Amino acid sequence: MNKSPLSKQFPIHCADVYLWQQNLSSQPFSSADWKMLGQFQRTYRWNVDLASLLDQSYEALVLTDPQQSIQWVSEGFITMTGYSPQSVIHRKPRILQGKATSNESKTRIRTKLKVAEPFQEVIVNYRRSGEPYRCHLSIFPMKDSDGALQHFLALEKEVA
């Protein structure tokens, strides 16, 4: 494993935070979002490099438990969908779906969640206003150091 000069000066988690903060300007990720995900990672011992995971293009983050009940959403989710955290916490992401959401997409998502492997899907979701939009999902199982599934993290972005 290559050690950067930075990792010799600071414990690796400090280096990860530093490097991640360098990329924040290109992501809709606030310090409050980072703090909350960091708390989840420490509490549930996620065995994942969040900096690498979130080094992708996205507008919103949604964290669900293994039963797909929403536990947390990012500020970008609120902006993208118009839903407040209070209106979605402890509900399933299907509240974003509607009549133009294909049954095939929903079936593929359910099937992929059952095997708890990372996947991507494009689905039609609906904003709180009722306006439909196409949403690219990248969903990652968040497992602990023992390999037990703790959560799913969805990185979402609107696509044409």
Side-chain angles (χ1 to χ4, degrees), residues 51-91:
S52 293
L53 183 75
L54 296 172
D55 191 26
Q56 301 180 48
S57 177
Y58 62 88
E59 295 172 43
L61 300 169
V62 178
L63 184 72
T64 68
D65 65 15
Q67 294 74 40
Q68 293 91 50
S69 175
I70 297 172
Q71 302 299 300
W72 173 82
V73 295
S74 69
E75 292 177 12
F77 174 87
I78 299 162
T79 302
M80 187 169 76
T81 68
Y83 282 99
S84 70
Q86 298 83 1
S87 64
V88 297
I89 299 297
H90 303 300
R91 298 182 73 186

Side-chain angles (χ1 to χ4, degrees), residues 78-142:
I78 299 162
T79 302
M80 187 169 76
T81 68
Y83 282 99
S84 70
Q86 298 83 1
S87 64
V88 297
I89 299 297
H90 303 300
R91 298 182 73 186
K92 295 189 184 270
R94 69 175 167 239
I95 66 165
L96 300 171
Q97 299 167 4
K99 64 181 179 179
T101 308
S102 79
N103 287 329
E104 294 82 10
S105 291
K106 292 189 282 188
T107 299
R108 281 192 302 272
I109 290 171
R110 280 192 301 271
T111 300
K112 292 172 183 176
L113 288 172
K114 285 181 185 176
V115 297
E117 301 264 334
F119 68 92
Q120 297 182 27
E121 182 72 39
V122 175
I123 189 168
V124 175
N125 276 344
Y126 288 80
R127 300 184 210 290
R128 184 173 178 266
S129 66
E131 175 191 3
Y133 65 98
R134 288 175 34 96
C135 185
H136 179 270
L137 306 170
S138 295
I139 299 181
F140 300 92
M142 307 302 277

